[in-house]
Amino acid sequence: MAATRSTPRRAPGGAGGFGAHWRQSKERPRDLRGTLARLWGYLAAQRGALAVAVILVVATSVLGTLGPYLMGQAIDAVMVDRDLRLLAREALLMLAVYVAEAGVAWLEAYVMSGASQRAIMALRDDLFAKLQTLSLRFFDERPHGELMSRLANDVENVSNVLQSGVTGLISSVLSLVGIAVTMLLLNARLAAVTLVTAPLMVVLSRWIAKRTRAGFRQQQVFLGELNGIIEETIAGQRVVKAYGREQAAVATFRATNRQLRRAATRAQIFSGTLPPLTNLVNNTGLTIVALAGGWMAVRGVATVGDIASFVQYARRFGWPLNSIASLYNSIQSAIAGAERVFQILDEVPELADTSASQSLEAVEGDVVFDDVCFEYTPGVPVLKHVSFHAQPGQTIALVGPTGAGKTTMVNLLARFYDICGGRVLIDRVDIRDLKLDDVRRRLGIVLQDTYLFADTVMENIRYGRLGASDEDVVRAAHVANADAFIRHLPHGYATLLSERGSNLSQGQRQLLAIARAVLADPAILVLDEATSSIDTRTERTIQEAMLRLMEGRTSFVIAHRLSTIREADQILVINDGEIVERGPHAALLAQRGFYHKLYVAQFKGQEVPEGVA
Amino acid sequence: MRKLLVYLRPYRHWALLAPLLMLVETATDLLQPRMIQRIVDVGIAQRDMDVVLQTGIWMVGLSIAGALGGIGCSAMSVLAAQGFGADLRDGLFTKVQSLSFGNIDRFETGQLITRLTNDVTQVEELVGLMLRLMLRAPLLVVGSFVMAMLSSPQLAPLFAVLVSLIVVVLSWVINKAYPLYGDVQELLDDLNTVMQENLAGVRVVKAFVRGDHEIARFRRVNRALMAITVRVARTVAAAGPLMTMTLYAGVVAGFWLGGARVLEGRMQVGQVIAFTSYLTRTLWSLSFVSTLSTRVARAQASAERIAEVLDSVPEVQEASGARSLAAPAGRVAFEDVSFRYGEGSDPVLCDVSFVAEPGQTVAVLGATGAGKSTLVHLIGRFYDVASGAVTLDGVDVRALDEASLRRAVSIALQESVLFSGTIRDNIRYGRPDATDAEVEAAARAAQAHDFITAFADGYDTVVGQRGVNLSGGQKQRIAIARALLVRPAVLILDDSTSSVDVETEAEIQAALDVLMGDGEGEPGEPALPWSEGLRLLRRPASDGETGGSMTAFVIAQRISTVLNADKILVLDGGRVAAEGTHAALLASSPIYREIFDSQLGDGRLSRGGD
């Protein structure tokens, strides 16, 4: 199939869950303080910049508090002192303070953006590096969409808050304190009146925030569901089309879409009442100030300038309260996002090197499975008491029905999962005592599902050995018989593969994967059903090349094609997780057992080789 | 972006009410400084407490009205935006469902998903934001100007000058920042690509021990992203202080000029205070506009991506006046068919002609990339031919309606995709009203019944997302059962037994033989134990009796599959290189012999053949 886009775009957001119908598990306990502390840790790593930013924020707040006071003085210069020169002085002072405030604010944003983005960058780096250490089971158990959502959306959430939220919070708090103090200093009685509305605001916003949180959570649940439906349907779009089930898909989509809309509307309308209501409270406060101030001015207890200042302060008091309220919401969602991110960072890798792990130097290729048992899901054994010994350089063929455990054996050899009983030895050393990377480096695996990256053919093959030269790559491609078809591609080795290599046929992808393995030049080779999707012609030539490659290397071939394994030194017949028969081809045939049955079935009783009746 | 506004039309009432209610809120907001002015200039100046009180009550009343307006505005805009968003999502999803294989190939799964999720959310959020706030800034600016004119006409010109200055500054900043947003988005996409590839290809990364390499790759992009994000943030941050300084300069100027006039007795203090209030209000709303610019830029990009999908034309469309096919016999004919995947790419099929009679098994053989998959995809009209015609029972598939075509032709694709739900639901996917007995019969035929019943919940076992807890072979068998349950006239197996072992495949083949009406088993062979159940899967023949035949196309990799086929098509480079039965081809076709030899390894058996 030809697909022409070469740069895959942004990954799907939202999560899809396992289980009957997309429900995400919600209701996680919130460790607010802990998460905040960790988040702060990332920011605090930018010690220098953070310190500067904090100082600047303090400066902004102080300057901001001065402004209305100076204005009040200016007014009094006019009303009370009737002094033009005094007015001029106050005016200039005001200007200086305002300009300073603006300049400092910009500087603070300048510094803060650098600090916060660096913190986010560190968070992303850590997350990615962590993922590299986690075992396969972690990735098996989680839908990719969900992991992508954490990496992309959640981190971005946190990023937005760190950038402006933190300083916003600091400056808001400082402003509040500064304003309150200044007011108290100026005129205690008026200050008391002004501050009366503050607690009311706090109570109001907390009440609304609590109600809306539940609503938003509900919205997120439906969003996750919908995203899951979208991801699954579109990923399987061809099947949907092939069975004419487009209408049904739309119906399923619509049902959840409707639910999402209802939940989202409800949540957002409710949360949308907060700004107007806080405004109302603020304005009421203002009115009270104006009234009280007016009364006091009429009595001559306060000057007009004082009142003007207080009116300004009362207004200015509202801004930080408002922003704290809205910040509260976004900080909540950022913390929720951070929690999800930290969950991943806290994962303990199932398989990890310990300090006792030995390195593996030159490998002969002696492989032993000693009474190995394995259960992927506890209680459901996949391998039972598997034992065999492969001498260096031997070719071992693994045959048996699907699901018998052949692929599992490969996974265990590469230590993608840990066994439950017995031992796996390489060169007589238990692989659990060896460094993970060393084991895998010495193993060359061609997997059932070939995964290729959105890069050129050359780079994809070079993935097998990063330092390889172009000639080495081409040589490897020759061995794998991939060179011929590569040269027929529009740009040869420089052809860009699309996402997952979908602009090549399955057979061609297999060939590239084999070339990649050839380049890796491993000591132990494993071919996991690698040749079953390639046409018989190509397979033949690869077989020849493989035989060449397998010479001198211990090779495990998992094949369904009996014709490919006739040359094997040992055949292990696996059924239902156990080795039921073993031996060379002729001997097994003579036993007339399981192997014989498999062999005969392939030719449907027609062509049976001479010598076997 | 404008194109998408069509989706707002059903909600235009709400969309119009929102700004109107905003008008109420803004108006009450604007009146407030005037009220204070009154208190100062009339109440305090004339020591009239009544005026103060009265004005105070007015202020409270106005505040309440304003709050109601604000709540109402917010509610209206949420209703409109959510309705818009839901409809847009619906329209986009429905559109994607109508797209053909060719369109889907070009768009790529990941992209389509993003457009349906992130992009729609961006646009929806912007619409909500705009409805709520779009009028606020201009209203406040204009309103403030008007009020300033009314309150302190002598200072009004100063106001106008300041506001124009601020607008200039603002546009300059936005112009500088705008192109940077595109870069940020691109880098974000690159970052996500690295992450996605590492998730999907985790086995490869681990198998080749490329963890460090990937981490280095990630870090490079991460750093670049950080650098440009910081640049954007700093550029936009410049807007605030610049405007603030301009405005505050104006405030001071106002105080200076106004104060002087007050001393001269030409103005009152209240007017100056009012002027300041209006000025600072304007500052607040204008600075908010600059932060909006980010949202607008991103939403614009999203809107374009959405429009691209909405505008795409499905490559394969049902013709008007399409016929339906009531009881198809299953005769498939290719007449000089040629096909290519896109304009200007190499032809994948050239002048392919053959006929498959009802009930025949046709095996399609050929090298990698020879065109086998393509050929069978044309049968179900998943792509349209470039030239020539594909006919079903003599009728060009382009003249048939989609529903009958889907009923008549069933395909088990190369990559078996299952959906979340029970195994039973998955098998029933093509025909949801099938009975449990039919489901079981299909599963038995596909050799899936045994492993299904081995699960604790049997057919009610829930399949994880995309069938993750099943092995490759198990998925394939369920996919085959799914295809069989449709009881098609033409069954296509597109290399769908690659993960199934030889013995199982043989049994599947035997079941298919029975289904295809190839007699009741071969002479001397015992009847299959479950052939009774298979009857449930057979289509009624066109003459009303049971025993309708099924034509089968099998893309074969194994020679054993083709040995008993009624017709073998050997494709080479997109052309039919050979056609015939096994025996005939062995004698006449060198290509076929070569393939046959390679399968068996030593050529011994060609002597045993004819």
Side-chain angles (χ1 to χ4, degrees), chain A residues 131-212:
Chain A
L131 282 179
Q132 293 299 333
T133 67
L134 294 174
S135 315
L136 277 189
R137 193 188 293 267
F138 177 84
F139 297 98
D140 287 343
E141 290 175 344
R142 283 164 187 73
H144 290 173
E146 206 213 323
L147 285 174
M148 281 305 304
S149 176
R150 296 194 194 206
L151 294 170
N153 300 346
D154 290 325
V155 172
E156 201 170 316
N157 234 354
V158 175
S159 162
N160 289 334
V161 164
L162 278 190
Q163 181 133 337
S164 39
V166 172
T167 44
L169 201 60
I170 297 178
S171 81
S172 298
V173 170
L174 282 176
S175 303
L176 279 178
V177 171
I179 290 173
V181 166
T182 319
M183 284 199 285
L184 283 167
L185 288 175
L186 277 183
N187 188 324
R189 263 181 291 183
L190 212 47
V193 167
T194 316
L195 291 174
V196 131
T197 52
L200 191 63
M201 284 259 251
V202 171
V203 166
L204 179 70
S205 28
R206 290 191 75 175
W207 182 77
I208 292 189
K210 209 191 309 178
R211 305 299 278 310
T212 55

Side-chain angles (χ1 to χ4, degrees), chain A residues 62 71 82 91 115-116 199 256 274 298 320 326 333 341 374 453 475 490 492 534 544 565 595:
Chain A
V62 166
M71 178 156 75
R82 304 219 161 248
S116 64
T256 308
L274 188 60
V298 166
S326 59
S333 75
V341 168
F374 176 66
F453 296 99
R475 214 173 302 141
I534 303 177
E544 288 176 349
I565 55 159
Y595 181 81

